[in-house]
Amino acid sequence: MIVGVLGSSRYLCTMFVQRKRNKSGSYSVIIKEKDSRTRANKVVKIIGTSSDEHELLEMERKAYEYIDSYRGPLLPMDYHDPLEDGIEKFLSGISNSHIQVIGPELIYGRLYDKIGYGELSNDMFRHLVICRLFNPGSKLRTVEYLRRYLNVDYDVETIYKFLDNLCYRKDKDCKKDGHGKPIRPEGDDIKTKVEQISFAYTKKICGDSISVVFYDMTTLYFEAAQEDDLRKTGFSKDGKHACPQIFLGLLVAPGGNPIGYEIYEGDIHEGKTLIPVVEALANKHGFDHPIVVADAGLLSKSNIEELQKNGYEYIIGARVKNETEEIKQGIIGMNLQYGDTKVVEKGNGVRLIVSKSEKRAKKDEHARKKGLERLQKRFETGRLTKANINRRGYNKYLKMEGEVTISIDMEKYEADAVWDGVKGFVTNTKLDEKEVLASYSNLWFIERAFRMNKGDLRARPIFHRLHNRIEAHICICFTAYTIMLELERLLKAANSDITIYQAGHLTKTMYQLNYQMPRSHRLKSLILQMDSKQQELYDIVRRNSDKV
């Protein structure tokens, strides 16, 4: 029982809650008041009658609320609320193992299923992809994360074995049976299915019509010293020239939505990859001949001939200073002003479109000055020799006077200013000049795709050595990138100020409580209350989980 003490100028009254047994076996919950002067008890209110313990506890809770509201706050004496005692006992049994980080599954897991990857029905692949989004790192780090935060216990060797079989290798790389037929590894070719699902979703986003595709390559380096058939040293876009690397060729649709990818040896010339990748993915997915957009690194006579031979239209960045002297003099004679766009006919339906912009001019001028400063520093050290006189980079400004003297040709440096801000595009399309420039400007989609993979998803450096595991690693990153892009699209459509970077941090503190009911022993889960930003993110993803 009880109780609260209430003061007055003449005497004290106390109110208390009583559970009274009835003849029928039920109990009544009653509020009584004791007069300290007469010492008599009188009934203030009957809350209710029941035989159910849970109902009686609820009635007692209401009785205490009534006393608080009717007479003011009670002063606690020696009474313990049985309901609160039960809650405290329950809470005392909760440990860290009952608390689970649920944000990655609520956000990234829903998008994984929305895009269609749930059709793979492979829990390990799902965990590896979501880990790459939420906690990118080595496979050893992934094992630790899964065990600590998701209560999923994988042995690292089990993951490596899974990676070995994630992507089918070519027949020549497979072991042969007694009849000389290749023995395929057990399991599904997840890479092929991932590409199929990703392309189907890209078509859905783009309205079932992909009229333009964007292609580019990047390098991914390895923290290793040894080369092999795939990992080779070459020109590194990551600046890791001493590290073995591979080339990753990526084809995307407008908006950066992925179509597919291929990996190549680290010493291959990037210009040789354009046609094989476009043709391989066109045959794989059955899409028609879209306009192919690529940067100047893919511009070569053989690529142009192959594209035209296979019926492709193209827009490829041009190096106007590498054109014939006749064309260069023609461009200079145009006296281009900022914002101007001119066309040079090259024959056979091919045009060189030339434009000039103030923003690009400032960037080119800054780059020339920095290049000259670096060249002057080397010149002052006296380490420049005849071998340095070539057309690579800013070495083109060097000249040799007599037989032994190396100097910087400032006239040539100043003359180069005429090209500041000038950019060229080679195309065989029927698009007008503005449409060509607009299409080429969208190459930033693929540049950002590489940036997101290398930065947010930490696709490199790669620590794997075996070919299959390298391919599997890229497949996981490719899938994670597709999910990240979809999250960004949904946030933008909802006019949310949450960035994909912020979203990743918000998921890290979304928790779920897993517990067992004391009587029925049923296992239950409860998502803990989120803050306003977490709730906003969750609502956006949940509302859009079943629609494009």
Side-chain angles (χ1 to χ4, degrees), residues 163-189:
L163 296 178
D164 288 337
N165 297 331
L166 193 151
C167 304
Y168 281 159
R169 297 288 301 279
K170 297 176 181 178
D171 288 350
K172 67 182 181 66
D173 297 320
C174 296
K175 294 182 179 178
K176 305 294 193 296
D177 61 17
H179 303 286
K181 293 183 178 181
I183 302 173
R184 292 293 193 184
E186 295 181 3
D188 296 326
D189 181 7

Side-chain angles (χ1 to χ4, degrees), residues 49-192:
T49 301
S50 178
S51 300
D52 184 87
E53 178 65 22
H54 290 290
E55 291 182 0
L56 290 169
L57 288 171
E58 179 63 18
M59 290 177 189
E60 289 178 342
R61 184 186 65 78
K62 290 180 179 180
Y64 293 127
E65 288 181 352
Y66 175 84
I67 294 173
D68 282 342
S69 62
Y70 187 73
R71 292 286 195 178
L74 298 176
L75 298 177
M77 296 175 70
D78 59 350
Y79 177 78
H80 297 286
D81 184 343
L83 182 60
E84 291 185 358
D85 288 346
I87 293 173
E88 286 187 358
K89 183 178 180 181
F90 170 75
L91 292 175
S92 66
I94 294 175
S95 66
N96 288 332
S97 63
H98 294 102
I99 305 294
Q100 176 185 349
V101 176
I102 195 65
E105 184 60 39
L106 287 179
I107 304 304
Y108 300 127
R110 278 180 176 268
L111 296 178
Y112 182 98
D113 293 330
K114 169 184 167 63
I115 293 170
Y117 298 127
E119 298 171 12
L120 298 171
S121 300
N122 192 302
D123 289 340
M124 184 174 288
F125 184 73
R126 183 190 190 98
H127 286 314
L128 291 176
V129 169
I130 293 177
C131 260
R132 179 58 50 178
L133 286 156
F134 173 66
N135 192 51
S138 68
K139 300 305 179 288
L140 283 170
R141 183 176 172 182
T142 298
V143 168
E144 180 184 352
Y145 159 75
L146 290 172
R147 183 181 296 122
R148 183 173 181 180
Y149 294 104
L150 297 184
N151 300 322
V152 176
D153 197 1
Y154 285 138
D155 181 80
V156 70
E157 291 303 322
T158 303
I159 290 182
Y160 285 145
K161 184 177 180 181
F162 171 75
L163 296 178
D164 288 337
N165 297 331
L166 193 151
C167 304
Y168 281 159
R169 297 288 301 279
K170 297 176 181 178
D171 288 350
K172 67 182 181 66
D173 297 320
C174 296
K175 294 182 179 178
K176 305 294 193 296
D177 61 17
H179 303 286
K181 293 183 178 181
I183 302 173
R184 292 293 193 184
E186 295 181 3
D188 296 326
D189 181 7
I190 292 178
K191 176 184 182 292
T192 298

Side-chain angles (χ1 to χ4, degrees), residues 115-117 119 190-213 251-254 256-261 278 280-290 478-479 482:
I115 293 170
Y117 298 127
E119 298 171 12
I190 292 178
K191 176 184 182 292
T192 298
K193 292 183 178 180
V194 162
E195 284 192 322
Q196 290 170 347
I197 292 168
S198 302
F199 179 70
Y201 198 75
T202 292
K203 283 182 65 179
K204 208 171 183 182
I205 295 294
C206 296
D208 286 330
S209 176
I210 299 176
S211 58
V212 181
V213 296
L251 194 70
V252 305
N257 296 94
I259 294 173
Y261 67 94
V278 173
L281 294 175
N283 293 332
K284 184 181 295 185
H285 300 308
F287 57 77
D288 204 358
H289 288 61
F478 176 84
T479 309
T482 308

Side-chain angles (χ1 to χ4, degrees), residues 354-510:
V354 185
S355 72
K356 185 171 184 176
S357 75
E358 184 176 9
K359 181 179 179 181
R360 190 185 301 121
K362 291 179 179 178
K363 181 180 177 182
D364 291 345
E365 182 183 12
H366 177 73
R368 278 193 311 112
K369 287 181 178 179
K370 295 295 288 185
L372 180 63
E373 289 171 5
R374 288 195 295 270
L375 200 61
Q376 287 172 331
K377 285 181 180 179
R378 292 173 60 200
F379 178 74
E380 290 168 1
T381 64
R383 290 200 295 264
L384 291 176
T385 67
K386 182 178 178 180
N388 295 111
I389 299 178
N390 53 55
R391 295 189 58 81
R392 291 197 295 271
Y394 295 101
N395 283 5
K396 63 187 177 181
Y397 298 138
L398 294 175
K399 66 179 181 180
M400 186 170 67
E401 298 175 341
E403 292 296 325
V404 294
T405 305
I406 304 296
S407 64
I408 298 175
D409 190 340
M410 293 304 297
E411 289 184 6
K412 192 172 184 179
Y413 169 79
E414 295 295 343
D416 239 8
V418 73
W419 298 108
D420 288 352
V422 178
K423 177 70 177 175
F425 314 90
V426 176
T427 182
N428 66 342
T429 67
K430 301 297 188 293
L431 301 176
D432 64 35
E433 294 83 351
K434 290 184 178 179
E435 289 174 318
V436 169
L437 267 63
S439 295
Y440 188 87
S441 67
N442 286 329
L443 262 179
W444 72 272
F445 289 133
I446 201 163
E447 293 168 359
R448 196 179 65 131
F450 289 141
R451 191 165 60 249
M452 290 168 69
N453 272 278
K454 291 181 178 183
D456 299 301
L457 301 176
R458 299 181 193 174
R460 56 88 171 102
I462 301 175
F463 297 94
H464 297 295
R465 177 178 58 85
L466 301 179
H467 193 134
N468 274 21
R469 294 180 186 178
I470 294 168
E471 285 197 282
H473 172 74
I474 301 300
C475 182
I476 290 167
C477 291
F478 176 84
T479 309
Y481 162 71
T482 308
I483 294 170
M484 183 180 289
L485 201 66
E486 177 60 12
L487 175 59
E488 184 181 56
R489 191 181 71 84
L490 295 181
L491 292 170
K492 185 177 180 180
N495 294 317
S496 173
D497 61 356
I498 300 174
T499 65
I500 53 174
Y501 177 78
Q502 290 170 334
H505 282 276
L506 290 173
T507 62
K508 293 179 180 179
T509 51
M510 293 181 181

